[in-house]
């Protein structure tokens, strides 16, 4: 570890455990009282279709890593854990150049072929990519980049996390004083050039916990870029984590709004013609802050609604690990009694939103598939497809840890 802001980067093939191990380390560091930040690199580059020379959007991810690192430091974080895959030393250099002043510790996670295959298929996401992932893992094993390598075969997530911290020599060491970290405010993004300052449709999918915001918003996003429309996607709940939770931002809504302002310029520069958001609306101040983060945006707030029984069923399913595998999921693995209590709270939240008439459009979700709901939500956007646009493949961009 060198001098500077400590940044621990966990890399490796999809399914090896980058996200789950990174999240465990994040919790361990925060539990000591050291303010820590966590980022999933996959969440920083969701702008597709990607250019042919950067199919995994590393340029956008690197730029947004720099922007979000500044944002988290301004929020008081004194160290940062990053989960994200890379294949070549040149990619590592691109990311390192985006975070000047950081003391970067790169740790590659690996697993034996059989265990990696089991983990990858167990995610239930893009199983057709398992052979490609195995080839990528074999190439990483033959490479020599990365300062540390930890074999996770046969290890639980907590044991792997402890081994990573041991191998990293007691990371994060003695982070810089909080005053120095918090004093560095993120710079305001430059205004878009006049030629690109046209209106951008922003579709924000909101609703109570467990209603399916992320899945529906992702389905809309996937349909857009599959039809050739360059679109960006932001799950507000995934836009950077900071713990212990600051007393002046207990819900994290302020950090998410600042994060949106940090990442949007890179998406706009990458050619995004629309933005799909998912996440709770918070309070009116949060809504205004998010709108200000995308100054050229024309916002459409869509509220998903579900009855108490449907919310209970979906929350219990999330608790069993079904659905997107995302960092910080407060439902996954929780005991049934707690899940039922959270389902009751979600039903009360749904009723509150219903009475308030939140959103410009209300979409009922009971008895409908994600595809059916997404089709209705998608129709709230203008038709952005170019006549000559062709279909594009859906990237493996969620839950790649």
């Amino acid at each position: 570890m060198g001098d500077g802001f400590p940044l621990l980067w966990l890399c490796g093939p999809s399914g090896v455990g980058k996200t789950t191990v990174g999240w465990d380390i994040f919790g361990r560091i925060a539990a000591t009282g050291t303010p820590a930040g966590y980022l999933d690199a996959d969440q920083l580059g969701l702008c597709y279709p990607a250019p042919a020379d950067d199919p995994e959007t590393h340029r956008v991810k690197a730029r947004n890593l720099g922007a979000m690192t500044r944002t988290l430091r301004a929020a008081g974080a004194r160290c940062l854990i990053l989960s994200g895959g890379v294949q070549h030393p040149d990619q590592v250099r691109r990311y390192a150049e985006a975070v000047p002043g950081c003391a970067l510790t790169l740790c590659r996670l690996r697993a034996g072929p059989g265990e990696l295959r089991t983990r990858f298929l167990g995610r239930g996401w893009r199983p057709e990519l398992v052979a490609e992932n195995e080839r990528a893992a074999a190439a990483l094993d033959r490479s020599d980049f990365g300062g540390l390598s930890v074999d996770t075969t046969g290890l639980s997530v907590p044991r792997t996390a402890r081994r990573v911290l041991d191998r990293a020599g007691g990371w994060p060491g003695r982070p810089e004083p909080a005053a120095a970290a918090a004093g560095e405010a993120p710079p305001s993004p430059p205004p878009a050039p006049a030629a690109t300052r046209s209106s951008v449709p922003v579709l924000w999918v909101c609703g109570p916990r467990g209603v399916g915001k992320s899945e529906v918003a992702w389905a809309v996003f996937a349909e857009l870029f599959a039809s050739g429309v360059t679109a960006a996607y932001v799950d507000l709940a995934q836009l950077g984590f900071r713990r212990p939770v600051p007393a002046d931002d207990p819900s994290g809504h302020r950090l998410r709004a600042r994060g949106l302002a940090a990442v949007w310029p890179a998406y706009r520069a990458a050619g995004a013609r629309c933005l799909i958001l998912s996440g709770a609306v918070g309070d009116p101040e949060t809504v205004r802050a998010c709108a200000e983060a995308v100054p050229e945006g024309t916002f459409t707030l869509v509220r998903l609604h579900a009855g108490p029984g449907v919310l209970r069923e979906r929350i219990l399913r999330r608790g069993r690990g079904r659905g997107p595998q995302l960092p910080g999921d407060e439902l996954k693995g929780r005991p049934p009694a707690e899940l039922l209590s959270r389902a009751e709270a979600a039903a009360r939240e749904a009723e509150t939103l219903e009475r308030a008439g939140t959103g410009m459009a209300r979409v009922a979700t009971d008895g409908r598939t994600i595809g059916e709901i997404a089709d209705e939500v998608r129709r709230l956007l203008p038709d952005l497809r170019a006549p000559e646009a062709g279909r594009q493949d859906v990237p493996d961009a969620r839950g790649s840890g």
Side-chain angles (χ1 to χ4, degrees):
M1 291 180 292
D3 295 332
F5 180 75
L7 196 166
L8 176 63
W9 182 0
L10 301 179
C11 65
S14 293
V16 77
K18 302 182 294 294
T19 299
T20 51
V21 173
W23 186 261
D24 188 285
I25 292 173
F26 172 55
R28 290 170 184 269
I29 300 301
T32 69
T34 299
Y38 175 84
L39 289 170
D40 184 336
D42 283 343
Q43 298 292 331
L44 302 178
L46 294 174
C47 187
Y48 289 91
D53 64 341
D54 190 24
E56 297 180 0
T57 67
H58 286 298
R59 284 196 295 266
V60 172
K61 290 177 185 176
R63 177 173 171 178
N64 279 339
L65 172 62
M68 283 303 303
T69 299
R70 293 189 294 272
T71 299
L72 286 165
R73 294 184 72 180
R78 296 171 62 189
C79 61
L80 175 63
I81 298 95
L82 172 71
S83 301
V86 286
Q87 301 293 329
H88 307 291
D90 287 346
Q91 294 169 348
V92 176
R93 283 193 289 272
R94 181 186 296 276
Y95 284 87
E97 289 168 358
V99 284
C102 286
L104 175 62
T105 301
L106 182 65
C107 179
R108 181 171 64 87
L109 304 183
R110 71 166 310 278
E115 186 155 336
L116 182 63
R117 170 177 279 258
T118 298
R119 293 179 189 175
F120 187 92
L121 293 175
R123 304 178 317 162
W125 179 256
R126 304 301 303 277
E128 70 275 13
L129 297 178
V130 65
E132 180 182 330
N133 189 60
E134 290 172 344
R135 289 192 293 271
L140 283 172
D141 282 343
R142 292 192 298 269
S143 71
D144 58 359
F145 82 87
L148 304 174
S149 178
V150 172
D151 191 336
T152 70
T153 307
L155 298 182
S156 66
V157 169
R159 285 186 63 193
T160 303
R162 289 194 296 269
R163 183 164 296 184
V164 168
L165 290 174
D166 288 345
R167 293 288 307 278
W171 191 91
R174 299 181 62 185
E176 61 186 9
E184 181 184 328
S188 300
T196 63
R197 218 175 284 161
S198 57
S199 177
V200 174
V202 180
L203 184 70
W204 186 346
V205 181
C206 69
R209 182 192 298 271
V211 76
K213 299 182 291 293
S214 294
E215 290 183 277
V216 170
W218 178 266
V220 173
F221 169 63
E223 173 57 30
L224 284 169
F225 70 71
S227 65
V229 175
T230 303
Y233 173 84
V234 172
D235 184 337
L236 291 170
Q238 294 296 313
L239 203 52
F241 298 88
R242 195 283 212 190
R243 290 187 180 172
V245 175
D248 62 348
D249 189 23
S251 65
H253 289 309
R254 186 183 305 173
L255 175 60
R256 291 163 190 159
R258 290 173 177 170
L260 180 59
V263 302
W264 170 245
Y267 289 146
R268 187 62 165 143
R273 297 174 55 208
C274 67
L275 171 63
I276 308 300
L277 296 178
S278 68
V281 295
D283 51 29
E285 180 182 350
T286 301
V287 176
R288 284 193 296 271
C290 286
E292 291 170 358
V294 188
E296 63 269 66
T298 300
F299 278 71
T300 300
L301 185 63
V302 182
R303 174 172 54 90
L304 305 184
H305 180 77
V310 172
L311 287 172
R312 181 169 58 252
E313 176 187 344
R314 292 173 180 170
I315 285 174
L316 289 172
R317 187 170 67 241
R318 281 263 302 277
R320 294 192 294 269
R322 305 290 179 85
Q325 305 296 302
L326 298 172
D329 189 337
E330 297 177 348
L331 300 178
K332 182 180 178 181
R334 306 311 302 169
E338 180 180 338
L339 293 172
L340 291 173
S341 175
R342 289 178 179 263
E344 292 174 0
R348 291 192 296 271
E349 181 186 2
E351 182 59 30
T352 298
L353 294 171
E354 188 83 343
R355 287 197 304 268
T358 300
M360 302 171 186
R362 173 191 184 273
V363 175
T365 67
D366 290 12
R368 305 174 71 187
T369 67
I370 293 297
E372 291 168 343
I373 301 163
D375 284 344
E376 180 175 347
V377 173
R378 167 68 181 85
R379 288 194 292 271
L380 298 170
L381 280 171
D383 188 355
L384 300 168
R385 291 171 297 180
E388 70 280 3
R391 301 288 295 182
Q392 304 289 324
D393 290 336
V394 178
D396 178 28
R398 303 184 81 193
S400 68

